[in-house]
Amino acid sequence: MTTTYLLTIAVAVLAGLIVSRPAKKLQLPAVTAYLIAGILIGPYALGALGVDGLGFTSSELIDSLDILSDCALGFIAFAIGNEFRLSQLKKTGRQATVIGICQALVAALLVDIVLIAVHFIFPDKLSLSAAIVLGAIATATAPAATLMVVRQYKAHGPLTDLLLPIVALDDAVGLVVFAISMGIAKAIDSGTVDAVSIIVNPIIEIAASLALGAAMGAILTYIERFFHSRSKRMSICIAFVLLTVGLSMLEIEIGAVTLSFSSLLVCMMLGTVFCNLCDFSEELMERTDGWTTPLFIFFFVISGASLDFSVLSDVTIILIGIVFILTRAAGKISGTYLSAKAVGCSPDICKYLGITLLPQAGVALGMTITAGEELGSADAAVIRSIVLFSILILELVGPMLTKMSLLRVGEIEPDKRTSARGVLPGNRKG
């Protein structure tokens, strides 16, 4: 089995790199190329041949490599934390906060309204509980795809400065909305209201995640000062991200309250505290990003391989999925436009920022898994199918829309040359 794992990982990274060459000529983002590579070597294409080591032969094999995906998300969140430097937040903090909260809430509300209407039209296809939970899942934006497009094209400017903090804040808002929606959905199913699960648990999760990340960031900064070798400092940085990812997976039961953590929020806070306390953090961030390049490529390739094409066999799911995608897009774009205009952003930011928030992947899938564990099997199956269909479309289209928006506002140079190093977080100039 070890041989199969090693061959599969190697083939995945090589496939991503190979597909990225023609994708570059077609002016597609590298993220899209990696996702397409994953589809090509996934269970519905090359993997269907059943040759061990030659692509992903089954969804079980993909699931067994989740640890690498968890690590990649940890490093991606760590890199996003680097965008929360106090000097930058003084300029954009208020705008990012208002827009981040408003666009998520508008998307959730609009999806809830439309899908509840769909429930009354097709009550046997979509339950009220499932409609409410899908509204919460609509808040989630994929931080990885957004970050990688920004870094590949070395985008810089007012829109980019707002985008990454908003994507980070989006996850915190999404966690709260999802927890509340899950509590309401379970109350509808059971007929009882649990205030702990609706209000207390999500607040505790966010507070605990931020506290753990801040503590780890402070400890990392302290320990780094005892070492002067660049390679050793980088090694400590990598070890701390891995350690933080591991700690964030712990769950502690305290009476009726579950103390759990969001690995994305924990690692974001780790990066935020570290970049603000450590005076040589920027150099370390760049060196760490260089080490993680193959990991990021593998993460997106395996994300493409995990896209479930079996959902395309159900016409009803496709129709509801299309409604979900369009309504979510309308909520994200309108919510961003109105809130950006309210806080005095430029017309270009008002017009294009919302489009960059459409990618959806890991966070939404994590919410889907949680919903599957806590709701009935019928509701769980419907939610999973609709979200997988949404991810299938938005993961492929979203990065291209992000690139298009950044081009339109002039924050990507049209003839800008990019390279493998251009994909790295931390390589932005300007």
Side-chain angles (χ1 to χ4, degrees):
M1 196 62 181
T2 301
T3 302
T4 300
Y5 283 148
L6 292 175
L7 289 173
T8 302
I9 293 169
V11 168
V13 174
L14 289 172
L17 291 171
I18 291 169
V19 175
S20 70
R21 302 316 298 165
K24 183 178 180 181
K25 294 184 181 298
L26 295 172
Q27 298 186 338
L28 296 175
V31 173
T32 303
Y34 302 150
L35 291 167
I36 292 172
I39 293 171
L40 294 176
I41 66 172
Y44 294 92
L46 187 62
L49 298 175
V51 181
D52 288 341
L54 188 63
F56 297 97
T57 55
S58 66
S59 58
E60 289 74 22
L61 176 59
I62 294 172
D63 293 340
S64 67
L65 292 168
D66 271 354
I67 185 172
L68 293 178
S69 296
D70 292 335
C71 291
L73 277 173
F75 281 103
I76 288 167
F78 181 63
I80 291 177
N82 191 41
E83 300 299 322
F84 285 88
R85 292 182 180 272
L86 291 178
S87 58
Q88 184 63 33
L89 288 179
K90 289 177 181 178
K91 302 176 184 176
T92 62
R94 185 179 71 88
Q95 291 179 330
T97 301
V98 172
I99 297 171
I101 293 173
C102 288
Q103 57 84 25
L105 294 180
V106 171
L109 181 61
L110 196 57
V111 171
D112 272 339
I113 291 171
V114 172
L115 290 188
I116 288 172
V118 172
H119 157 71
F120 285 112
I121 298 171
F122 304 107
D124 56 329
K125 297 294 184 181
L126 182 68
S127 71
L128 184 58
S129 298
I132 291 172
V133 172
L134 284 168
I137 294 175
T139 61
T141 296
T146 304
L147 177 71
M148 296 296 274
V149 171
V150 168
R151 294 315 191 207
Q152 178 187 356
Y153 296 101
K154 301 180 177 68
H156 61 91
L159 189 149
T160 304
D161 290 340
L162 276 173
L163 173 59
L164 295 178
I166 287 172
V167 169
L169 182 62
D170 184 89
D171 290 320
V173 177
L175 283 173
V176 175
V177 175
F178 178 74
I180 294 172
S181 297
M182 278 299 303
I184 295 171
K186 288 190 291 185
I188 291 172
D189 288 344
S190 65
T192 59
V193 178
D194 181 4
V196 172
S197 62
I198 294 177
I199 300 173
V200 178
N201 279 345
I203 294 175
I204 290 177
E205 179 174 343
I206 291 174
S209 298
L210 296 178
L212 176 60
M216 295 300 290
I219 296 171
L220 171 59
T221 303
Y222 178 76
I223 292 178
E224 287 282 13
R225 299 186 184 281
F226 290 97
F227 296 87
H228 303 286
S229 163
R230 290 182 175 180
S231 60
K232 289 181 179 177
R233 281 178 170 176
M234 182 189 71
S235 298
I236 293 170
C237 209
I238 292 168
F240 254 78
V241 175
L242 296 176
L243 175 61
T244 303
V245 171
L247 290 175
S248 68
M249 294 179 179
L250 296 175
E251 285 193 1
I252 304 170
E253 299 287 343
I254 306 175
V257 176
T258 300
L259 178 60
S260 58
F261 306 93
S262 163
S263 61
L264 280 174
L265 287 181
V266 174
C267 291
M268 281 181 205
M269 182 56 74
L270 169 70
T272 299
V273 171
F274 179 61
C275 78
N276 282 289
L277 292 183
C278 183
D279 51 11
F280 48 83
S281 63
E282 193 164 356
E283 177 191 354
L284 271 179
M285 287 281 193
E286 291 187 6
R287 292 178 64 83
T288 301
D289 295 333
W291 180 87
T292 56
T293 303
L295 183 62
F296 289 169
I297 294 174
F298 177 79
F299 170 76
F300 286 104
V301 172
I302 200 173
S303 295
S306 65
L307 295 176
D308 190 352
F309 285 83
S310 65
V311 301
L312 299 178
S313 62
D314 190 329
V315 176
T316 304
I317 292 299
I318 293 176
L319 292 175
I320 298 176
I322 291 171
V323 171
F324 174 81
I325 292 170
L326 294 178
T327 307
R328 176 180 177 270
K332 288 278 183 181
I333 294 171
S334 62
T336 301
Y337 179 85
L338 293 173
S339 56
K341 195 169 184 179
V343 293
C345 293
S346 69
D348 277 346
I349 290 178
C350 294
K351 185 176 180 181
Y352 291 107
L353 180 57
I355 298 174
T356 65
L357 299 173
L358 297 184
Q360 191 172 44
V363 178
L365 192 56
M367 292 178 177
T368 303
I369 293 170
T370 301
E373 294 171 349
E374 299 189 24
L375 296 178
S377 57
D379 285 345
V382 170
I383 292 170
R384 177 176 173 80
S385 296
I386 292 171
V387 172
L388 286 175
F389 177 76
S390 172
I391 290 173
L392 173 64
I393 303 301
L394 293 175
E395 272 295 86
L396 294 174
V397 176
M400 291 184 282
L401 292 176
T402 299
K403 178 192 173 185
M404 179 203 74
S405 298
L406 293 171
L407 273 170
R408 291 289 178 86
V409 298
E411 298 189 11
I412 293 177
E413 297 178 29
D415 59 346
K416 189 74 174 180
R417 291 178 59 84
T418 58
S419 65
R421 288 185 61 80
V423 179
L424 305 181
N427 277 349
R428 184 175 66 188
K429 304 297 180 187

